[in-house]
Amino acid sequence: MSSIHYTILIDSKSETKALIDQLLKGTFSSGFSKLKGKKGELFSSSQVAYFLNKEEQHGIKIITKETQQLLLTMSSGERKKALLNYFLKKLPDYLILVNPYDNLDSNYQKELKEKLIALSNTILLIQIVSRKEDILPIHTKFIKLNESELIHYKSKEAFFNDSQIVETNFSNYKIPLALNPITSLKEVLIRFIEVSVSFNNNPVLLNITWTIKSGEFWHLKGPNGSGKSTLLSMITGDSQKGYGQHLYLFGTKKGSGESVWDIKKHIGYFTPAMTDKFRGYHTLENMLISGLHDSIGLYVKPTENEKRLAIEWLKLLNLNNKKEAHFHQLTTTEKRLLMTARAMIKHPPLLILDEPTAGLDDYNAALFVSLINKVAKESKTAIIFVSHRKEHGLNPTSIFELIPTKNGSMGKIHYF
């Protein structure tokens, strides 16, 4: 039975990977003497991604070897449950939990929390977390990772009272205007009228009716596996499930001869996984300008107007002093802010943000939310913000909630 459990608070500047490597090797002596000679396992989204890649690239099932179920067919919650069960069979002495609730709906969060609290009676837990609200109630040691330095707190009270008070708005500048605004579209951008979707006779969505108008700010939520990704793929034109149904995208009925490009040119899109596509040495200025050309990297000579527009966005993001820096040198939050600006640089009619704050600490999540609120207030772009969390300070005008039933998820609208 373990009576000591650790909380380690991280932020965007924390050298988390180096810390995890040392914890797994048991090479940390200061404050972690109980780990010496013990065996640990890492429970994180990156581990899920590792096993998912093994399955997709090499056809190797590791954590689902007994059931033979594909990880690809599982929801985020099911994947994390499978990962935890896999590690527990290896009988570790301690578990390192890195933001364990990321991408999980409230039901899976509750289930996982109860499971971890029960495990704390027999396994030492080290929870590395970005959000204080996610901390398990069983912890006795409280630490903050300040870049590479571990700061140990003398008490739980001292830890929770140590809050960072900072300005989290972008009030110094207005959202820069588009060079070539899109003016041809009507007020109604997206319209679903009793749209249903199933895969291999398995119902996913049932009679979805949803209208998105110019300038609206929607929070899309629903449990893991409720069909959010399916719904988004129909809006972006990546799914063919809208054919023959009453689905209208930017004034055109789905299946009327439109191309995927005809749809996507009206959409700005960002999800954190996109940052991995930009591995080259792209300057921040070129990153933003590439959004005007819908390319990964900039392969044409930018005009003076394009350069001026990029500088305006960098000033807004407080990144003008880094305009010659390369994208890979930015912090996680700076990358996400820049990618969001890149998605917005043309003022698309619709901006989709898919779990954009996952893994961010409290301050940086508030910073990101502040930018999105500003975009919503100062532009005519409609926003779909997808998140399991109700981010503090987020100001959507409406919520579209997917509620699962045995015949597929139904939609429920909440207006403010």
Side-chain angles (χ1 to χ4, degrees), residues 205-394:
L205 299 173
L206 177 65
N207 296 332
I208 296 297
T209 297
W210 187 18
T211 299
I212 301 173
K213 297 180 181 180
S214 178
E216 292 183 335
F217 186 178
W218 289 88
H219 177 192
L220 173 61
K221 69 177 186 177
N224 294 116
S226 61
K228 295 189 299 298
S229 295
T230 299
L231 194 62
L232 291 179
S233 69
M234 297 177 77
I235 292 174
T236 60
D238 293 310
S239 172
Q240 307 304 317
K241 291 294 184 176
Y243 282 112
Q245 302 200 63
H246 293 291
L247 172 59
Y248 301 86
L249 306 174
F250 307 104
T252 301
K253 186 176 181 181
K254 179 67 176 176
S256 300
E258 80 287 354
S259 68
V260 172
W261 168 243
D262 290 330
I263 298 169
K264 289 186 180 296
K265 69 182 181 181
H266 299 305
I267 300 173
Y269 182 87
F270 172 68
T271 189
M274 288 178 63
T275 59
D276 296 333
K277 294 181 180 179
F278 293 87
R279 298 181 180 275
Y281 287 82
H282 309 287
T283 66
L284 307 195
E285 184 178 278
N286 284 355
M287 281 286 295
L288 287 169
I289 295 173
S290 72
L292 294 169
H293 301 276
D294 300 299
S295 60
I296 298 178
L298 188 61
Y299 304 102
V300 297
K301 185 177 180 180
T303 67
E304 290 303 314
N305 283 339
E306 289 175 338
K307 289 182 178 180
R308 278 195 291 269
L309 181 60
I311 293 299
E312 287 181 35
W313 275 102
L314 290 175
K315 287 179 179 177
L316 170 68
L317 300 177
N318 301 315
L319 291 174
N320 191 39
N321 62 330
K322 294 185 178 182
K323 66 179 182 179
E324 298 300 327
H326 292 122
F327 182 67
H328 73 275
Q329 296 173 310
L330 298 183
T331 67
T332 297
T333 305
E334 289 171 340
K335 287 179 180 178
R336 295 189 190 187
L337 293 173
L338 190 81
M339 289 294 288
T340 301
R342 180 181 181 275
M344 262 302 296
I345 195 166
K346 291 194 294 188
H347 282 240
L350 178 63
L351 175 65
I352 299 175
L353 302 166
D354 193 356
E355 296 285 356
T357 56
L360 295 184
D361 58 81
D362 291 321
Y363 163 63
N364 285 295
L367 191 66
F368 190 92
V369 164
S370 180
L371 177 64
I372 301 311
N373 286 338
K374 186 176 181 68
V375 169
K377 183 179 180 180
E378 297 181 8
S379 76
K380 295 181 179 180
T381 295
I383 299 173
I384 302 176
F385 190 102
V386 188
S387 177
H388 291 302
R389 292 181 187 271
K390 173 59 176 80
E391 290 289 0
H392 299 299
L394 191 71

Side-chain angles (χ1 to χ4, degrees), residues 13 39 46 54 87 121 156 172 184 201 203 234 273 299 325 364-365 371:
K13 295 182 180 179
K39 180 178 69 173
S46 64
K54 284 283 188 183
F87 283 146
N121 291 316
K156 178 179 180 179
N172 291 335
S184 58
N201 295 320
M234 297 177 77
Y299 304 102
N364 285 295
L371 177 64

Side-chain angles (χ1 to χ4, degrees), residues 105-122:
D105 61 56
S106 57
N107 290 331
Y108 270 114
Q109 286 185 28
K110 181 180 178 182
E111 181 181 343
L112 179 58
K113 182 177 182 179
E114 291 174 350
K115 178 72 171 178
L116 293 174
I117 290 173
L119 286 174
S120 69
N121 291 316
T122 55

Side-chain angles (χ1 to χ4, degrees), residues 159-171:
F159 174 80
F160 278 97
N161 289 334
D162 182 14
S163 58
Q164 189 179 16
I165 306 299
V166 289
E167 180 65 45
T168 59
N169 65 53
F170 297 87
S171 59

